[in-house]
Amino acid sequence: MVSFNDTLDALTIPFGVRYFHVDPEKGFFLNGEPLRLNGVSRHQDRKDMGWAITKKEHLEDMELIKEVGATSIRLAHYQHDQFFYELCDQEGLVIWAEIPFISVMSKHELEGINAKQQMTELIRQNFNHPSIMFWGIQNEIQISGERPELRRLVNELNELTKKEDPTRLTTMANVMFVPDKDEYNYVTDVVGYNKYYGWYQGKAEDFADWLDGFHQTNPQVALGISEYGAEGILQYHTNHPQVKDYSEEYHALYHEKVWGIFSKRPYLWSTYVWNMFDFGANIRDEGGVQGRNNKGLITYDRKIKKDAFYMYKANWSDEKFVHITSKRYVERMDDQITIKVYSNCDKLTLYVNGKEIGTKTSDNHVFIFENVGLAEGMTEIKVTSNQDGVILEDTARFTKVAQPNPSYEAPEEDKGGVVGNWFQMPDIEDVEVEEIEITDDVYSTRDTFKALMENEETKTILEKYLGNFTEHPMYGMAAGMQVDFIASMAPEQFTDKMIYTLNKELTKVQK
């Protein structure tokens, strides 16, 4: 707007042209060419700042995402700053933008007025950002349990989104326990699952069978992984990484295994690491860290890149580099150690205290040098690459000690398990397991904790065997899960005898 030759107001709208589609068998295509959506999820808060960040912090986040080599970002779980959407446009990243319709639908407002308003505003305010190609309508909303009004609202949100913007694709992030044949999988144009094999359930290797099974069951569904990850805290280290030790070593090994599975399945339209950065989460108290989710590839203050960051950079980025892992695991008791290196170079050479030891190649960007001897005192390890005449190197120093450093071990008692010890499990060793017929008209471990806790008789049975587990801060996340599903996550606690004992009593209660 101009008045007397003075510009009083102006609006600039950048313009981008692109076309895209998703094939259930071949994945994502941009401008007619296949593009693997190697994605990270982003929360925008950071240490000592919360959401009070400036353009400087947004720019720093973008540079880090570019460095790891990601081609896509899931902007969870709310509208992000307009400046960041603009950065995504400029950098050519593929964006999944979504509304904060998360975990639990209101018990009182059943029309979804707020969710629909947020969906409408998200689309209308960001319609002209070419980087946004997917609108997300919900995240793990099934946690609140089976509700007909919830299913109706999810369908209505999809219809609203398609009406507001028929040019983009709709998607959503299903919680991990949604069955493969559930109607939720057929609502949006494409679908994502938040799956945590290797952390909250089973082993990392379980991804392979589940992915192939889902794809075989639903060949018409374009499947992506909207979240996956494990906690990694830089203070903790071990030679024998396992689930829930919170070590940097398990965090990196987990991502190695999972990416190895994902990379071989071109039918996945996207995969999104949870998360690019550690972020605030007030109910969490894990690994000795309160109020934080530590699944990030980079620390909450953005100052330190964890080893797993470099695993992805080796697979996703063309920028050549060498990175020795476990450099923070300085004090070692071993006479010999294994040196693991992430790199996208062709071959690497290892030196110990200046002496050349050997050269390795790798077909998966993970280079392993075994039986590397440690001298008394400090040992310097250097790994180099001569890539097209350019010398790249990284150095680590280890100190041989007589006693283990106790600060390397997380203050967790149930390492190797995947579920927090929420339950006071009784001794039922004398029980003999028999076959029990379970019908739809009676309660059983096939029901959710929420359903069982809403009935006084079944509530009494659960509390008799499991104690007052509803006081646990994470119970709200598990309330919508079937007892059998939780049992699959914690078989050491929910033994066959325990499940039999519960069902023997629960099936006596009619629905």
Side-chain angles (χ1 to χ4, degrees), residues 18-58:
R18 81 283 185 273
Y19 62 96
F20 58 92
H21 74 278
V22 173
D23 185 286
E25 196 65 42
K26 299 178 181 178
F28 179 77
F29 286 76
L30 179 63
N31 299 331
E33 299 293 330
L35 174 66
R36 189 170 193 104
L37 295 187
N38 300 329
V40 295
S41 299
R42 182 211 187 212
H43 273 304
Q44 64 188 9
D45 63 307
R46 74 168 59 192
K47 187 175 184 293
D48 300 328
M49 298 184 74
W51 278 21
I53 59 175
T54 68
K55 290 184 177 180
K56 174 180 176 292
E57 285 74 40
H58 285 298

Side-chain angles (χ1 to χ4, degrees), residues 45 52 66 137 143 146 192 196-197 225 250 267 384 399 405 435 454 465 468 477 480-481 491 504:
D45 63 307
K66 286 168 55 183
I137 66 173
I143 283 176
E146 180 56 46
Y196 287 92
Y197 290 119
I225 298 297
Y250 181 77
Y267 59 78
T384 68
T399 301
N405 186 332
E435 190 74 25
E454 288 176 346
Y465 291 103
N468 190 18
M477 294 288 288
M481 300 181 189
K504 187 176 180 181

Side-chain angles (χ1 to χ4, degrees), residues 101-107 110 138-154 174-179 182 184 446-454 475-483:
F101 188 44
I102 306 171
S103 301
V104 180
M105 177 185 175
S106 171
K107 297 179 181 178
L110 304 182
Q138 65 89 2
N139 176 75
E140 296 188 343
I141 200 64
Q142 303 94 348
I143 283 176
S144 56
E146 180 56 46
R147 300 172 61 184
E149 63 271 19
L150 174 58
R151 287 186 179 271
R152 184 193 72 239
L153 178 53
V154 169
N174 285 337
V175 72
M176 57 185 173
F177 57 76
V178 170
D182 195 288
Y184 279 120
R446 296 174 185 173
D447 290 300
T448 65
F449 281 95
K450 180 177 181 289
L452 294 171
M453 294 302 290
E454 288 176 346
Y475 172 70
M477 294 288 288
M481 300 181 189
Q482 295 175 327
V483 177

Side-chain angles (χ1 to χ4, degrees), residues 367-383:
F367 297 77
I368 302 294
F369 296 87
E370 297 178 321
N371 303 318
V372 177
L374 293 185
E376 294 299 322
M378 188 192 75
T379 299
E380 181 180 89
I381 303 293
K382 185 166 71 172
V383 176

Side-chain angles (χ1 to χ4, degrees), residues 246-262:
Y246 293 87
S247 69
E248 187 173 16
E249 284 71 29
Y250 181 77
H251 184 250
L253 180 62
Y254 166 91
H255 283 287
E256 276 180 44
K257 291 181 176 180
V258 175
W259 177 248
I261 293 169
F262 291 169

Side-chain angles (χ1 to χ4, degrees), residues 99 115-123 135-137 160-161:
I99 59 171
K116 291 174 182 176
Q117 178 183 344
Q118 295 217 36
M119 194 77 246
T120 301
E121 291 178 352
L122 177 71
I123 295 170
W135 298 120
I137 66 173
L160 170 66
T161 303

Side-chain angles (χ1 to χ4, degrees), residues 224-397:
I225 298 297
S226 38
E227 290 182 21
Y228 67 101
E231 299 268 328
I233 299 176
L234 297 181
Q235 180 175 332
Y236 306 134
H237 300 283
T238 179
N239 289 333
H240 307 288
Q242 59 180 328
V243 178
K244 283 202 76 178
D245 64 11
Y246 293 87
S247 69
E248 187 173 16
E249 284 71 29
Y250 181 77
H251 184 250
L253 180 62
Y254 166 91
H255 283 287
E256 276 180 44
K257 291 181 176 180
V258 175
W259 177 248
I261 293 169
F262 291 169
S263 64
K264 294 179 177 64
R265 286 162 172 80
Y267 59 78
L268 289 172
W269 72 267
S270 66
T271 58
Y272 293 94
V273 176
W274 191 258
N275 197 283
M276 182 67 189
F277 310 105
D278 292 346
F279 61 93
N282 65 319
I283 65 172
R284 288 186 176 271
D285 183 4
E286 299 184 55
V289 180
Q290 293 183 331
R292 189 180 304 171
N293 188 311
N294 297 289
K295 294 185 181 70
L297 302 180
I298 297 177
T299 54
Y300 197 19
D301 58 10
R302 277 57 168 178
K303 291 183 178 179
I304 301 177
K305 301 162 188 170
K306 303 178 189 180
D307 286 341
F309 173 95
Y310 293 96
M311 193 285 299
Y312 284 107
K313 183 176 179 179
N315 283 277
W316 294 353
S317 174
D318 293 330
E319 180 188 355
K320 298 300 182 182
F321 74 97
V322 176
H323 175 78
I324 301 172
T325 69
S326 296
K327 286 198 289 284
R328 284 171 278 272
Y329 187 8
V330 175
E331 297 183 7
R332 308 288 188 106
M333 295 177 60
D334 315 273
D335 293 327
Q336 294 181 324
I337 63 173
T338 296
I339 299 296
K340 180 166 69 174
V341 185
Y342 295 141
S343 178
N344 50 10
C345 298
D346 296 332
K347 60 182 179 180
L348 302 179
T349 301
L350 176 77
Y351 297 84
V352 177
N353 288 333
K355 180 181 178 181
E356 182 176 335
I357 300 299
T359 298
K360 295 277 187 178
T361 60
S362 172
D363 59 3
N364 66 349
H365 305 294
V366 181
F367 297 77
I368 302 294
F369 296 87
E370 297 178 321
N371 303 318
V372 177
L374 293 185
E376 294 299 322
M378 188 192 75
T379 299
E380 181 180 89
I381 303 293
K382 185 166 71 172
V383 176
T384 68
S385 168
N386 187 342
Q387 188 79 22
D388 300 325
V390 178
I391 305 298
L392 301 170
E393 65 179 45
D394 193 22
T395 302
R397 295 174 179 84

